[in-house]
Amino acid sequence: MAFDHKEIENKWQRFWAEATVFEVTEDPEKDKYYVLEMFPYPSGKLHMGHVRNYAIGDALARFKRMQGFNVLYPMGYDSFGLPAENAAIEHKANPRLWTYEKINQMRGQQIQMGFSYDWSRMVKTCEPEYYKWNQWIFLKLMEKGLAYRKNAPVNWCEKCQTVLANEQVVNGSCWRCGTEVSEKALEQWFLKITAYADELLAGIDKLTEWPERVRVMQQNWIGKSEGVEIFFKVKDSHHVISTYTAHWNTIYGVTFLVLAPEHPLALELVKGTPKEKDALKFISEMKWLSHIDRVNPDKDKLGFDLGVKAINPVTGREIPVFLTNFVLMDYGTGAVMGTPAHDQRDFEFAKKYGCEVRVVVQPRDRKLAPECMERAFVDEGIMVNSGPFNGLSSAEAMPKVATHLVKERLAKRAVNYKIRDWLVSRQRFWGTPIPVVYCDKCGVVPVPEDKLPVRLPDAAEFGLVGNPLQHVKSFVETTCPRCRAKARRETDTMDTFVDSAWYFLRYSSPREAKKPFDEKKVWQWMPVDQYIGGIEHAILHLLYARFFTKALRDLGLLEVDEPFQRLLAQGMVLKDGAKMSKSLGNVVDPGEIIERFGADTARVFILFAALPEKEFEWSDQGVESARRFLERVYRLVEASKGGMARGEAKEKDLAQSERLLLSKAHRTIQRVTEHMENMRFNYALQALMEFANDLGRLECRDRNVKWFAVRSLVQMLSPFAPHLAEELWQSTKEKGFVSLSKWPACDASRIDVGAETAEAFVESVKADLKNVLALSKIQKPKAVYVFVAAKWKATALAVVREACKGKPDVGLAMKALMARPEFKAQGKQIEAFARAAARKAGETGKPVALDECPSRDPLNKARNAFPLKPAIYVE
RNA sequence: GCACGGGUAGGAAAGCGGCCAAAUCCGCCGGGCUUAGAACCCGGUCGCUCAGUGCGUGCGCAGGUUCGAAUCCUGCCCCGUGCACCA
């Protein structure tokens, strides 16, 4: 091993910390750049996902820093949450101590990785100095009616003994423990994210630097639907059933209505009729079904005919009214009109319960007959059986039908959203206490601002039923802030997503004691220029953070609308084709990689493996190759040290290969800079690898060119392998830290396009041929030998043929060469001799006879000397 | 079902109208260096063919647009991811 990664890494980590190299303050002289990674839950050990996430962020932060930006690159811990509490139950550990231990372990590994965080800004959400402001913001939201309490059926996880937000229910199961979620009615706290539904949706258009799929997911989640509510009169009754639809053009095809079992009219309509008892029975059966079963499209559609008739407002026909399991009370009006011919669910229902199928949209290429239909026709077509709208296309009919219905007062325009208010109550200990008190006299009383934070008690008994906080008397028993009477403190804590909904603001002024953050400083840093994290937060966290940003703006605390300018959803690290997971046993521990190969290697490998947003397969060989690359750079720089001198290279003094090297250096700077800008780190590394090869093979005696090339390489390597780069920076006698050096500038005029292209090659072949001919005084050569790198062979020969105007037979020359007794051996050997000749020719500047060639001269040296420039021999 | 992303050489993964038989890394083959190996350096790595070279096939499948397609369009087949009885 050429270098000792442990020694180098420890050394530079210490130096960075001692010199507080990465701490930043606001600086009006510089442009700011805020790089943020989704802060981790402190589980103790980093996993590969973390390493990838932070390697990406750190490379960008280091690059931007070197470019002269004032870079805010902080780290913190999302340290409230279930695992700490579960550990408390299992191991009788104190969740606070457990959490702090894990934070320290994790932070230790992050330091080992060499991430350039400003640790002075560290934020831990479980500390009162942080969660105090959760409470404060909660109270502000309460004042504005954006935080409220209501009795609601909630998603309940029996195992975690807690309520879950809709976003935390994955396929009907708890997102954490996988237990099937059940439904339960409870008094719960909500945040009114729906008040911002429209703005959150409209804002997505502005997020042009977010991945498309995340934007789509958010759009779907908000689920805005613009439609109409159509009113159906109930026959022989004063009741009106209002239904929401987005396909109002099919109103003439409505042949029944279906109500959710919870619909207020469900019982009302059958009160006192013989159907009442059965209706009650049906309703209670439906209530037994969980929400999950109700919305499962594979479940049978069940109906109960209420026996009453409604009137289709446009056809005047009487239509039956059913209760059903497949209509949801919390979307639209809880009642749906049935258009069996044009909606698959309605079609199935109608077939089962014998409702009329009435076609009102005909496909253009065939004719539908209700009795022959096997499924609903849901595509675009021509309106039929629709009174005045017959003959229109369904698209044309949409606005006309809507206008008609509204004008006739049969309907009103309506908008519906899928998004629901955010349920933030959790029946857990390890979270931010919700700052309210229940008083028998005054009701729900907010804790006054000056009494914040409501601190979590230091100790509690874990493992009892329900929330441990309920059993802490000193916490629960309090007095009413308003009337001083005995009162009970709220024991629910906040969803941890509240913590992460604004932590990025806190980094601007992490020790601010009088408010959640300093407005001026936040103004300096926000928005986050580049946010990086896992796709799993595409909806949950990102939507909540956007909501908080807007809500805080409306509280007058912020001036930005959107928190995250550019978003990168990093890809997963796979092993054996699957996500690394304990249960699959395919986890690669970053700690071991750091130990064996070093942090620099781990970083280079992980960034080189693929584009950051794509998933890639872990490869042990890939790790080794990353290490080999670093070794090569190390050797190159060590070998170059003697031949370098700081200074500007003088163009006219440069030999071809030196000019080429200089050109390559600038070309590489150009490529790497551009790739860094776009976070295409794998390309940047590729360019660096190629450049390292060039540096190794191109002969360079010019000390200034050498210096520039080596120095640039070390600098550009530093975002990827910062420790090694610092070491090389120091060993090449550069001042200060490479981490703080100015990113090399590409001087486009130094890019010698000619030297890098075939044209230039052709020119050089021509020139060399001329020189050779002149020097050798052979005006009419019998043969010409050209020795070059294989890729240039064809070009070179073509040029020589052209230049010699066909006189010497170049092809025959090679044959003649083959015929010589000393070259009877293999072609390879001929090549070796040829290269030796080329080298000799290059050294003396004169052509040499082949038999002058030292036969044992190493091929590789000849090869190194003449990668591009041809050697020409004539006879 | 809908939406989004993919299918490229032995493997991973670039390219997204001509400079593409296709970057880079790995693997494999040959050579150099070595007592030998490791490491390191060089060359090769779709098939046939040659001294140079040339030809054929070719980037999921089938068509199309174009002077020209891995790259653009259409349809199809696979694979991921997300959302799904949202009316």
Side-chain angles (χ1 to χ4, degrees):
Chain A
M1 295 235 170
F3 64 86
D4 181 345
H5 60 260
K6 276 188 205 169
E7 191 192 315
I8 292 179
E9 290 177 3
N10 287 337
K11 170 177 159 188
W12 289 102
Q13 282 156 18
R14 207 178 62 238
F15 284 7
W16 289 329
E18 281 166 5
T20 60
V21 167
F22 304 120
E23 290 185 15
V24 278
T25 49
E26 295 70 30
D27 181 352
E29 300 294 305
K30 282 171 151 182
D31 286 335
K32 68 95 182 178
Y33 199 90
Y34 188 173
V35 182
L36 183 67
E37 292 144 7
M38 291 182 186
F39 66 165
Y41 178 81
S43 54
K45 268 187 176 180
L46 292 183
H47 60 240
M48 276 306 164
H50 290 129
V51 172
R52 189 174 194 195
N53 190 166
Y54 310 149
I56 292 167
D58 191 50
L60 182 69
R62 286 175 176 276
F63 168 65
K64 286 289 173 186
R65 202 177 284 124
M66 288 172 76
Q67 276 195 318
F69 287 90
N70 196 29
V71 174
L72 175 57
Y73 182 50
M75 179 43 63
Y77 299 93
D78 189 12
S79 44
F80 270 138
L82 277 180
E85 196 160 339
N86 290 342
I89 295 166
E90 264 180 60
H91 307 118
K92 302 256 176 273
N94 180 319
R96 177 174 288 110
L97 296 178
W98 186 91
T99 302
Y100 276 75
E101 191 190 319
K102 298 293 175 189
I103 288 176
N104 285 335
Q105 285 174 15
M106 211 153 190
R107 186 161 165 256
Q109 280 198 307
Q110 287 169 317
I111 289 169
Q112 272 196 312
M113 283 298 297
F115 299 132
S116 60
Y117 300 125
D118 177 350
W119 286 109
S120 73
R121 290 174 185 262
M122 179 166 45
V123 162
K124 297 173 205 146
T125 59
C126 66
E127 291 187 339
E129 70 165 29
Y130 184 84
Y131 70 68
K132 172 179 180 178
W133 302 110
N134 277 349
Q135 295 172 341
W136 186 87
I137 292 168
F138 186 90
L139 294 177
K140 293 288 164 197
L141 294 176
M142 240 176 115
E143 279 171 26
K144 293 202 90 181
L146 291 170
Y148 65 94
R149 198 166 177 273
K150 79 171 179 194
N151 191 289
V154 293
N155 306 305
W156 178 260
C157 174
E158 195 56 39
K159 184 166 177 207
C160 302
Q161 284 280 308
T162 190
V163 161
L164 299 169
N166 288 333
E167 290 86 340
Q168 293 167 340
V169 180
V170 180
N171 290 330
S173 300
C174 173
W175 70 304
R176 276 237 98 112
C177 69
T179 308
E180 191 168 325
V181 171
S182 57
E183 215 159 275
K184 198 170 175 175
L186 283 174
E187 281 281 313
Q188 299 288 317
W189 287 97
F190 289 84
L191 297 186
K192 203 166 187 176
I193 192 170
T194 53
Y196 286 88
D198 251 325
E199 203 196 327
L200 287 168
L201 182 68
I204 293 173
D205 289 338
K206 287 187 253 167
L207 303 174
T208 52
E209 295 178 275
W210 282 38
E212 180 64 16
R213 60 176 168 155
V214 174
R215 297 169 49 183
V216 169
M217 277 191 232
Q218 293 219 345
Q219 254 160 21
N220 291 343
W221 191 263
I222 295 167
K224 183 176 185 175
S225 156
E226 285 176 88
V228 296
E229 261 180 44
I230 302 178
F231 314 123
F232 291 80
K233 286 192 172 125
V234 179
K235 193 190 170 197
D236 304 327
S237 147
H238 63 281
H239 289 301
V240 172
I241 299 171
S242 180
T243 68
Y244 175 78
T245 180
H247 306 280
W248 58 86
N249 62 314
T250 59
I251 176 68
Y252 286 84
V254 172
T255 57
F256 63 91
L257 296 183
V258 274
L259 306 184
E262 302 88 347
H263 197 284
L265 287 178
L267 272 175
E268 190 68 26
L269 289 172
V270 288
K271 216 167 209 170
T273 74
K275 290 267 189 180
E276 184 174 1
K277 222 175 118 190
D278 290 338
L280 258 173
K281 195 171 156 230
F282 182 85
I283 290 167
S284 60
E285 277 169 12
M286 288 303 111
K287 284 198 173 156
W288 275 106
L289 285 178
S290 67
H291 178 86
I292 321 307
D293 285 334
R294 292 260 307 273
V295 298
N296 182 347
D298 302 330
K299 289 270 153 112
D300 272 348
K301 292 171 177 45
L302 301 172
F304 176 81
D305 191 345
L306 288 172
V308 298
K309 302 289 178 196
I311 311 292
N312 182 319
V314 290
T315 62
R317 292 178 186 223
E318 291 181 11
I319 56 175
V321 181
F322 294 86
L323 298 182
T324 182
N325 59 332
F326 74 87
V327 173
L328 308 173
M329 192 57 221
D330 61 1
Y331 185 80
T333 60
V336 175
M337 61 185 213
T339 359
H342 307 292
D343 181 287
Q344 188 57 24
R345 288 157 299 163
D346 297 349
F347 182 81
E348 286 166 27
F349 188 86
K351 284 284 170 195
K352 190 165 173 188
Y353 293 98
C355 303
E356 186 196 350
V357 176
R358 192 176 145 86
V359 174
V360 291
V361 180
Q362 278 288 3
R364 288 165 204 267
D365 55 345
R366 63 205 153 98
K367 208 161 164 76
L368 290 176
E371 55 285 358
C372 309
M373 286 174 75
E374 278 177 7
R375 50 182 306 118
F377 174 71
V378 294
D379 300 327
E380 167 85 22
I382 303 292
M383 304 291 296
V384 295
N385 296 328
S386 297
F389 306 105
N390 286 341
L392 295 175
S393 75
S394 28
E396 288 166 343
M398 292 298 279
K400 294 195 167 143
V401 175
T403 310
H404 172 75
L405 289 173
V406 171
K407 205 170 128 204
E408 299 295 317
R409 294 171 184 268
L410 304 174
K412 66 171 185 188
R413 293 184 192 274
V415 176
N416 265 295
Y417 297 92
K418 280 194 243 180
I419 192 171
R420 295 281 160 269
D421 278 338
W422 174 13
L423 199 167
V424 293
S425 309
R426 294 292 180 276
Q427 290 68 51
R428 307 296 311 202
F429 173 83
W430 192 232
T432 304
I434 291 175
V436 296
V437 165
Y438 300 105
C439 169
D440 286 341
K441 215 165 91 192
C442 314
V444 181
V445 184
V447 173
E449 247 180 71
D450 59 8
K451 293 281 189 304
L452 296 182
V454 176
R455 283 176 177 269
L456 266 184
D458 277 331
E461 195 172 340
F462 292 87
L464 302 172
V465 175
N467 183 350
L469 264 184
Q470 288 170 323
H471 307 287
V472 182
K473 272 194 181 165
S474 59
F475 180 82
V476 179
E477 290 171 5
T478 184
T479 52
C480 172
R482 214 166 274 165
C483 72
R484 308 267 164 211
K486 271 197 171 180
R488 184 173 57 83
R489 199 181 283 285
E490 171 67 270
T491 56
D492 281 1
T493 52
M494 293 183 205
D495 183 1
T496 53
F497 279 97
V498 173
D499 307 332
S500 55
W502 68 280
Y503 75 107
F504 47 90
L505 302 169
R506 182 74 182 168
Y507 282 136
S508 66
S509 44
R511 307 288 162 259
E512 173 60 56
K514 295 199 169 69
K515 43 199 172 181
F517 46 81
D518 181 314
E519 293 97 327
K520 286 200 191 95
K521 288 183 174 167
V522 140
W523 171 243
Q524 285 271 326
W525 293 111
M526 286 297 286
V528 172
D529 294 275
Q530 177 67 58
Y531 198 27
I532 307 152
I535 189 71
E536 67 273 19
H537 291 115
I539 298 174
L540 293 170
H541 161 60
L542 290 172
L543 199 59
Y544 294 152
R546 292 182 62 218
F547 162 52
F548 258 56
T549 301
K550 289 170 194 301
L552 292 171
R553 174 203 61 196
D554 291 345
L555 288 170
L557 297 168
L558 262 184
E559 290 182 60
V560 288
D561 296 323
E562 290 290 345
F564 312 123
Q565 183 70 28
R566 197 156 69 139
L567 175 71
L568 178 90
Q570 92 209 52
M572 281 190 297
V573 183
L574 307 178
K575 179 83 197 293
D576 310 322
K579 185 179 177 175
M580 286 187 186
S581 76
K582 274 186 206 146
S583 56
L584 285 170
N586 60 352
V587 177
V588 178
D589 175 18
E592 283 173 31
I593 301 295
I594 298 172
E595 176 71 21
R596 262 187 75 197
F597 298 96
D600 285 341
T601 299
R603 298 164 54 124
V604 167
F605 165 68
I606 217 159
L607 292 176
F608 179 61
L611 284 169
E613 63 271 24
K614 300 217 178 169
E615 53 185 43
F616 74 90
E617 178 76 20
W618 178 266
S619 153
D620 292 333
Q621 274 153 351
V623 179
E624 284 170 28
S625 91
R627 170 74 192 208
R628 247 179 285 149
F629 164 63
L630 294 179
E631 300 276 5
R632 193 156 71 238
V633 173
Y634 179 80
R635 278 197 309 274
L636 266 171
V637 176
E638 288 298 311
S640 303
K641 263 157 65 174
M644 292 169 27
R646 173 184 289 266
E648 189 82 3
K650 287 184 191 66
E651 193 83 44
K652 62 174 168 44
D653 301 338
L654 299 182
Q656 172 84 4
S657 73
E658 287 158 353
R659 191 172 299 138
L660 189 62
L661 181 62
L662 188 60
S663 172
K664 291 265 188 192
H666 283 286
R667 168 80 69 196
T668 305
I669 292 168
Q670 187 187 48
R671 283 170 71 189
V672 172
T673 306
E674 196 184 320
H675 291 318
M676 297 297 290
E677 207 75 69
N678 298 320
M679 296 205 290
R680 295 158 73 110
F681 301 117
N682 55 331
Y683 297 166
L685 277 164
Q686 182 179 318
L688 288 176
M689 285 173 178
E690 285 173 34
F691 183 54
N693 280 341
D694 291 333
L695 189 57
R697 70 165 55 150
L698 287 173
E699 192 182 27
C700 179
R701 296 206 192 93
D702 187 285
R703 300 168 76 85
N704 301 132
V705 171
K706 194 91 175 179
W707 169 75
F708 181 76
V710 167
R711 182 184 142 101
S712 301
L713 177 64
V714 170
Q715 286 185 295
M716 290 188 284
L717 189 67
S718 78
F720 303 103
H723 310 90
L724 180 63
E726 291 287 7
E727 185 69 18
L728 294 175
W729 187 253
Q730 188 187 50
S731 82
T732 51
K733 307 267 187 321
E734 297 287 351
K735 298 239 158 50
F737 292 93
V738 67
S739 301
L740 296 180
S741 70
K742 193 170 178 319
W743 187 258
C746 164
D747 178 352
S749 71
R750 291 287 197 167
I751 294 181
D752 190 345
V753 179
E756 296 177 19
T757 59
E759 282 82 348
F761 177 74
V762 166
E763 287 310 310
S764 71
V765 172
K766 279 184 185 164
D768 283 11
L769 183 61
K770 212 169 143 191
N771 286 338
V772 168
L773 290 173
L775 281 167
S776 64
K777 298 192 171 85
I778 300 172
Q779 294 307 314
K780 291 178 184 175
K782 285 190 295 189
V784 179
Y785 307 122
V786 183
F787 305 118
V788 282
K791 63 189 285 197
W792 295 102
K793 211 152 29 179
T795 317
L797 281 168
V799 171
V800 172
R801 274 203 198 104
E802 219 271 322
C804 299
K805 299 208 170 68
K807 275 176 202 159
D809 185 332
V810 178
L812 278 176
M814 187 63 88
K815 248 182 196 166
L817 185 62
M818 295 288 281
R820 288 191 173 204
E822 64 266 41
F823 301 128
K824 264 184 186 160
Q826 299 298 308
K828 295 277 182 201
Q829 278 174 290
I830 291 175
E831 210 175 343
F833 281 117
R835 293 224 163 94
R839 178 167 165 271
K840 183 104 181 175
E843 277 169 5
T844 60
K846 287 176 190 166
V848 289
L850 284 171
D851 50 10
E852 285 177 42
C853 292
S855 62
R856 308 260 324 149
D857 220 355
L859 166 63
N860 59 335
K861 284 185 188 165
R863 182 71 190 74
N864 283 345
F866 293 95
L868 254 185
K869 200 173 152 91
I872 293 172
Y873 179 67
V874 297
E875 61 176 12

